[in-house]
PDB file of all heavy atoms in Angstrom:
ATOM      1  N   ILE A 127      31.239  13.427 -31.257  1.00 96.00           N
ATOM      2  CA  ILE A 127      31.636  12.503 -32.324  1.00 96.00           C
ATOM      3  C   ILE A 127      33.153  12.501 -32.497  1.00 96.00           C
ATOM      4  O   ILE A 127      33.765  11.439 -32.666  1.00 96.00           O
ATOM      5  CB  ILE A 127      30.936  12.876 -33.638  1.00 96.00           C
ATOM      6  CG1 ILE A 127      29.460  12.475 -33.578  1.00 96.00           C
ATOM      7  CG2 ILE A 127      31.611  12.199 -34.845  1.00 96.00           C
ATOM      8  CD1 ILE A 127      28.669  12.774 -34.825  1.00 96.00           C
ATOM      9  N   ILE A 128      33.762  13.675 -32.439  1.00 96.00           N
ATOM     10  CA  ILE A 128      35.221  13.754 -32.606  1.00 96.00           C
ATOM     11  C   ILE A 128      35.940  12.995 -31.500  1.00 96.00           C
ATOM     12  O   ILE A 128      36.864  12.210 -31.755  1.00 96.00           O
ATOM     13  CB  ILE A 128      35.669  15.229 -32.642  1.00 96.00           C
ATOM     14  CG1 ILE A 128      35.131  15.933 -33.883  1.00 96.00           C
ATOM     15  CG2 ILE A 128      37.196  15.332 -32.594  1.00 96.00           C
ATOM     16  CD1 ILE A 128      35.390  17.417 -33.907  1.00 96.00           C
ATOM     17  N   ILE A 129      35.504  13.187 -30.258  1.00 95.00           N
ATOM     18  CA  ILE A 129      36.140  12.511 -29.110  1.00 95.00           C
ATOM     19  C   ILE A 129      35.931  11.003 -29.205  1.00 95.00           C
ATOM     20  O   ILE A 129      36.876  10.222 -29.015  1.00 95.00           O
ATOM     21  CB  ILE A 129      35.566  13.050 -27.781  1.00 95.00           C
ATOM     22  CG1 ILE A 129      36.017  14.509 -27.593  1.00 95.00           C
ATOM     23  CG2 ILE A 129      36.026  12.197 -26.615  1.00 95.00           C
ATOM     24  CD1 ILE A 129      35.354  15.200 -26.415  1.00 95.00           C
ATOM     25  N   ALA A 130      34.692  10.581 -29.520  1.00 95.00           N
ATOM     26  CA  ALA A 130      34.407   9.150 -29.585  1.00 95.00           C
ATOM     27  C   ALA A 130      35.198   8.480 -30.715  1.00 95.00           C
ATOM     28  O   ALA A 130      35.767   7.398 -30.516  1.00 95.00           O
ATOM     29  CB  ALA A 130      32.913   8.931 -29.786  1.00 95.00           C
ATOM     30  N   ALA A 131      35.252   9.115 -31.885  1.00 95.00           N
ATOM     31  CA  ALA A 131      35.970   8.525 -33.014  1.00 95.00           C
ATOM     32  C   ALA A 131      37.474   8.456 -32.730  1.00 95.00           C
ATOM     33  O   ALA A 131      38.130   7.451 -33.029  1.00 95.00           O
ATOM     34  CB  ALA A 131      35.721   9.333 -34.293  1.00 95.00           C
ATOM     35  N   THR A 132      38.027   9.511 -32.137  1.00 94.00           N
ATOM     36  CA  THR A 132      39.461   9.523 -31.826  1.00 94.00           C
ATOM     37  C   THR A 132      39.791   8.491 -30.763  1.00 94.00           C
ATOM     38  O   THR A 132      40.801   7.787 -30.846  1.00 94.00           O
ATOM     39  CB  THR A 132      39.889  10.917 -31.340  1.00 94.00           C
ATOM     40  OG1 THR A 132      39.501  11.901 -32.327  1.00 94.00           O
ATOM     41  CG2 THR A 132      41.386  10.998 -31.145  1.00 94.00           C
ATOM     42  N   ASP A 133      38.910   8.368 -29.766  1.00 93.00           N
ATOM     43  CA  ASP A 133      39.152   7.416 -28.672  1.00 93.00           C
ATOM     44  C   ASP A 133      38.996   5.975 -29.115  1.00 93.00           C
ATOM     45  O   ASP A 133      39.874   5.140 -28.871  1.00 93.00           O
ATOM     46  CB  ASP A 133      38.197   7.735 -27.513  1.00 93.00           C
ATOM     47  CG  ASP A 133      38.348   6.741 -26.378  1.00 93.00           C
ATOM     48  OD1 ASP A 133      39.490   6.561 -25.892  1.00 93.00           O
ATOM     49  OD2 ASP A 133      37.340   6.164 -25.941  1.00 93.00           O
ATOM     50  N   LEU A 134      37.910   5.658 -29.801  1.00 93.00           N
ATOM     51  CA  LEU A 134      37.636   4.267 -30.176  1.00 93.00           C
ATOM     52  C   LEU A 134      38.534   3.791 -31.302  1.00 93.00           C
ATOM     53  O   LEU A 134      38.644   2.595 -31.548  1.00 93.00           O
ATOM     54  CB  LEU A 134      36.167   4.119 -30.565  1.00 93.00           C
ATOM     55  CG  LEU A 134      35.162   4.282 -29.417  1.00 93.00           C
ATOM     56  CD1 LEU A 134      33.727   4.209 -29.931  1.00 93.00           C
ATOM     57  CD2 LEU A 134      35.374   3.229 -28.355  1.00 93.00           C
ATOM     58  N   SER A 135      39.192   4.717 -32.013  1.00 92.00           N
ATOM     59  CA  SER A 135      40.113   4.327 -33.076  1.00 92.00           C
ATOM     60  C   SER A 135      41.543   4.131 -32.581  1.00 92.00           C
ATOM     61  O   SER A 135      42.443   3.867 -33.372  1.00 92.00           O
ATOM     62  CB  SER A 135      40.106   5.380 -34.200  1.00 92.00           C
ATOM     63  OG  SER A 135      38.817   5.528 -34.757  1.00 92.00           O
ATOM     64  N   GLN A 136      41.735   4.263 -31.282  1.00 90.00           N
ATOM     65  CA  GLN A 136      43.082   4.175 -30.716  1.00 90.00           C
ATOM     66  C   GLN A 136      43.732   2.822 -31.025  1.00 90.00           C
ATOM     67  O   GLN A 136      44.892   2.754 -31.400  1.00 90.00           O
ATOM     68  CB  GLN A 136      43.032   4.413 -29.208  1.00 90.00           C
ATOM     69  CG  GLN A 136      44.409   4.340 -28.544  1.00 90.00           C
ATOM     70  CD  GLN A 136      44.349   4.684 -27.062  1.00 90.00           C
ATOM     71  OE1 GLN A 136      43.290   5.020 -26.541  1.00 90.00           O
ATOM     72  NE2 GLN A 136      45.475   4.596 -26.378  1.00 90.00           N
ATOM     73  N   GLU A 137      42.962   1.744 -30.860  1.00 86.00           N
ATOM     74  CA  GLU A 137      43.528   0.416 -31.097  1.00 86.00           C
ATOM     75  C   GLU A 137      43.907   0.220 -32.553  1.00 86.00           C
ATOM     76  O   GLU A 137      44.919  -0.428 -32.866  1.00 86.00           O
ATOM     77  CB  GLU A 137      42.516  -0.655 -30.675  1.00 86.00           C
ATOM     78  CG  GLU A 137      43.063  -2.070 -30.819  1.00 86.00           C
ATOM     79  CD  GLU A 137      42.001  -3.119 -30.517  1.00 86.00           C
ATOM     80  OE1 GLU A 137      40.952  -2.769 -29.953  1.00 86.00           O
ATOM     81  OE2 GLU A 137      42.247  -4.287 -30.865  1.00 86.00           O
ATOM     82  N   GLU A 138      43.132   0.771 -33.469  1.00 89.00           N
ATOM     83  CA  GLU A 138      43.406   0.602 -34.883  1.00 89.00           C
ATOM     84  C   GLU A 138      44.542   1.504 -35.366  1.00 89.00           C
ATOM     85  O   GLU A 138      45.364   1.088 -36.187  1.00 89.00           O
ATOM     86  CB  GLU A 138      42.139   0.926 -35.715  1.00 89.00           C
ATOM     87  CG  GLU A 138      40.899   0.128 -35.328  1.00 89.00           C
ATOM     88  CD  GLU A 138      40.961  -1.301 -35.800  1.00 89.00           C
ATOM     89  OE1 GLU A 138      41.420  -1.533 -36.925  1.00 89.00           O
ATOM     90  OE2 GLU A 138      40.533  -2.195 -35.032  1.00 89.00           O
ATOM     91  N   LEU A 139      44.588   2.730 -34.845  1.00 89.00           N
ATOM     92  CA  LEU A 139      45.526   3.729 -35.382  1.00 89.00           C
ATOM     93  C   LEU A 139      46.699   4.035 -34.464  1.00 89.00           C
ATOM     94  O   LEU A 139      47.719   4.549 -34.921  1.00 89.00           O
ATOM     95  CB  LEU A 139      44.760   5.032 -35.675  1.00 89.00           C
ATOM     96  CG  LEU A 139      43.578   4.941 -36.637  1.00 89.00           C
ATOM     97  CD1 LEU A 139      42.921   6.290 -36.797  1.00 89.00           C
ATOM     98  CD2 LEU A 139      44.023   4.403 -37.979  1.00 89.00           C
ATOM     99  N   GLY A 140      46.546   3.739 -33.155  1.00 88.00           N
ATOM    100  CA  GLY A 140      47.605   4.070 -32.227  1.00 88.00           C
ATOM    101  C   GLY A 140      47.831   5.572 -32.152  1.00 88.00           C
ATOM    102  O   GLY A 140      46.895   6.375 -32.228  1.00 88.00           O
ATOM    103  N   GLU A 141      49.080   5.970 -32.025  1.00 88.00           N
ATOM    104  CA  GLU A 141      49.399   7.393 -31.938  1.00 88.00           C
ATOM    105  C   GLU A 141      49.183   8.124 -33.266  1.00 88.00           C
ATOM    106  O   GLU A 141      49.141   9.356 -33.301  1.00 88.00           O
ATOM    107  CB  GLU A 141      50.846   7.565 -31.472  1.00 88.00           C
ATOM    108  CG  GLU A 141      51.082   7.080 -30.050  1.00 88.00           C
ATOM    109  CD  GLU A 141      50.159   7.756 -29.048  1.00 88.00           C
ATOM    110  OE1 GLU A 141      50.009   8.994 -29.125  1.00 88.00           O
ATOM    111  OE2 GLU A 141      49.577   7.041 -28.202  1.00 88.00           O
ATOM    112  N   LYS A 142      49.081   7.360 -34.362  1.00 90.00           N
ATOM    113  CA  LYS A 142      48.864   7.994 -35.662  1.00 90.00           C
ATOM    114  C   LYS A 142      47.516   8.714 -35.729  1.00 90.00           C
ATOM    115  O   LYS A 142      47.308   9.540 -36.627  1.00 90.00           O
ATOM    116  CB  LYS A 142      48.939   6.953 -36.780  1.00 90.00           C
ATOM    117  CG  LYS A 142      50.325   6.390 -37.017  1.00 90.00           C
ATOM    118  CD  LYS A 142      50.375   5.570 -38.295  1.00 90.00           C
ATOM    119  CE  LYS A 142      49.432   4.365 -38.239  1.00 90.00           C
ATOM    120  NZ  LYS A 142      49.531   3.542 -39.465  1.00 90.00           N
ATOM    121  N   ARG A 143      46.627   8.394 -34.793  1.00 90.00           N
ATOM    122  CA  ARG A 143      45.315   9.022 -34.838  1.00 90.00           C
ATOM    123  C   ARG A 143      45.405  10.537 -34.664  1.00 90.00           C
ATOM    124  O   ARG A 143      44.535  11.272 -35.115  1.00 90.00           O
ATOM    125  CB  ARG A 143      44.384   8.397 -33.783  1.00 90.00           C
ATOM    126  CG  ARG A 143      44.716   8.744 -32.355  1.00 90.00           C
ATOM    127  CD  ARG A 143      43.829   7.893 -31.420  1.00 90.00           C
ATOM    128  NE  ARG A 143      43.925   8.298 -30.032  1.00 90.00           N
ATOM    129  CZ  ARG A 143      44.918   7.977 -29.211  1.00 90.00           C
ATOM    130  NH1 ARG A 143      45.927   7.223 -29.660  1.00 90.00           N
ATOM    131  NH2 ARG A 143      44.914   8.363 -27.957  1.00 90.00           N
ATOM    132  N   TRP A 144      46.472  10.996 -33.997  1.00 92.00           N
ATOM    133  CA  TRP A 144      46.610  12.448 -33.819  1.00 92.00           C
ATOM    134  C   TRP A 144      46.929  13.142 -35.137  1.00 92.00           C
ATOM    135  O   TRP A 144      46.584  14.304 -35.332  1.00 92.00           O
ATOM    136  CB  TRP A 144      47.690  12.743 -32.780  1.00 92.00           C
ATOM    137  CG  TRP A 144      47.327  12.175 -31.434  1.00 92.00           C
ATOM    138  CD1 TRP A 144      47.967  11.183 -30.744  1.00 92.00           C
ATOM    139  CD2 TRP A 144      46.184  12.539 -30.640  1.00 92.00           C
ATOM    140  NE1 TRP A 144      47.309  10.900 -29.564  1.00 92.00           N
ATOM    141  CE2 TRP A 144      46.203  11.720 -29.471  1.00 92.00           C
ATOM    142  CE3 TRP A 144      45.150  13.449 -30.783  1.00 92.00           C
ATOM    143  CZ2 TRP A 144      45.252  11.810 -28.481  1.00 92.00           C
ATOM    144  CZ3 TRP A 144      44.192  13.537 -29.787  1.00 92.00           C
ATOM    145  CH2 TRP A 144      44.245  12.733 -28.652  1.00 92.00           C
ATOM    146  N   PHE A 145      47.590  12.418 -36.059  1.00 93.00           N
ATOM    147  CA  PHE A 145      47.777  12.975 -37.402  1.00 93.00           C
ATOM    148  C   PHE A 145      46.432  13.111 -38.103  1.00 93.00           C
ATOM    149  O   PHE A 145      46.179  14.088 -38.821  1.00 93.00           O
ATOM    150  CB  PHE A 145      48.723  12.090 -38.220  1.00 93.00           C
ATOM    151  CG  PHE A 145      50.141  12.102 -37.747  1.00 93.00           C
ATOM    152  CD1 PHE A 145      50.649  11.047 -37.000  1.00 93.00           C
ATOM    153  CD2 PHE A 145      50.970  13.170 -38.026  1.00 93.00           C
ATOM    154  CE1 PHE A 145      51.962  11.047 -36.545  1.00 93.00           C
ATOM    155  CE2 PHE A 145      52.289  13.194 -37.593  1.00 93.00           C
ATOM    156  CZ  PHE A 145      52.788  12.125 -36.852  1.00 93.00           C
ATOM    157  N   GLY A 146      45.562  12.122 -37.896  1.00 92.00           N
ATOM    158  CA  GLY A 146      44.225  12.200 -38.450  1.00 92.00           C
ATOM    159  C   GLY A 146      43.424  13.334 -37.835  1.00 92.00           C
ATOM    160  O   GLY A 146      42.675  14.038 -38.536  1.00 92.00           O
ATOM    161  N   PHE A 147      43.616  13.532 -36.525  1.00 93.00           N
ATOM    162  CA  PHE A 147      42.925  14.621 -35.837  1.00 93.00           C
ATOM    163  C   PHE A 147      43.355  15.977 -36.414  1.00 93.00           C
ATOM    164  O   PHE A 147      42.520  16.829 -36.736  1.00 93.00           O
ATOM    165  CB  PHE A 147      43.239  14.562 -34.337  1.00 93.00           C
ATOM    166  CG  PHE A 147      42.601  15.640 -33.528  1.00 93.00           C
ATOM    167  CD1 PHE A 147      41.298  15.505 -33.066  1.00 93.00           C
ATOM    168  CD2 PHE A 147      43.284  16.808 -33.237  1.00 93.00           C
ATOM    169  CE1 PHE A 147      40.697  16.511 -32.322  1.00 93.00           C
ATOM    170  CE2 PHE A 147      42.700  17.826 -32.488  1.00 93.00           C
ATOM    171  CZ  PHE A 147      41.397  17.664 -32.028  1.00 93.00           C
ATOM    172  N   ILE A 148      44.676  16.156 -36.558  1.00 94.00           N
ATOM    173  CA  ILE A 148      45.203  17.408 -37.132  1.00 94.00           C
ATOM    174  C   ILE A 148      44.726  17.583 -38.574  1.00 94.00           C
ATOM    175  O   ILE A 148      44.352  18.683 -39.002  1.00 94.00           O
ATOM    176  CB  ILE A 148      46.742  17.421 -37.061  1.00 94.00           C
ATOM    177  CG1 ILE A 148      47.202  17.446 -35.603  1.00 94.00           C
ATOM    178  CG2 ILE A 148      47.311  18.622 -37.819  1.00 94.00           C
ATOM    179  CD1 ILE A 148      48.676  17.226 -35.417  1.00 94.00           C
ATOM    180  N   GLY A 149      44.722  16.461 -39.336  1.00 94.00           N
ATOM    181  CA  GLY A 149      44.238  16.508 -40.723  1.00 94.00           C
ATOM    182  C   GLY A 149      42.792  16.946 -40.784  1.00 94.00           C
ATOM    183  O   GLY A 149      42.412  17.733 -41.673  1.00 94.00           O
ATOM    184  N   GLY A 150      41.963  16.468 -39.848  1.00 95.00           N
ATOM    185  CA  GLY A 150      40.552  16.865 -39.812  1.00 95.00           C
ATOM    186  C   GLY A 150      40.381  18.343 -39.545  1.00 95.00           C
ATOM    187  O   GLY A 150      39.526  19.012 -40.152  1.00 95.00           O
ATOM    188  N   ILE A 151      41.208  18.887 -38.644  1.00 95.00           N
ATOM    189  CA  ILE A 151      41.146  20.319 -38.348  1.00 95.00           C
ATOM    190  C   ILE A 151      41.572  21.134 -39.580  1.00 95.00           C
ATOM    191  O   ILE A 151      40.952  22.158 -39.911  1.00 95.00           O
ATOM    192  CB  ILE A 151      42.043  20.661 -37.150  1.00 95.00           C
ATOM    193  CG1 ILE A 151      41.590  19.874 -35.901  1.00 95.00           C
ATOM    194  CG2 ILE A 151      42.027  22.150 -36.875  1.00 95.00           C
ATOM    195  CD1 ILE A 151      40.168  20.142 -35.480  1.00 95.00           C
TER     196      ILE A 151
END
Side-chain angles (χ1 to χ4, degrees):
I127 286 181
I128 294 173
I129 292 172
T132 306
D133 178 52
L134 292 176
S135 300
Q136 181 176 357
E137 183 185 346
E138 304 286 320
L139 303 179
E141 294 304 315
K142 290 191 299 182
R143 71 188 189 281
W144 298 115
F145 291 102
F147 180 85
I148 294 170
I151 301 301

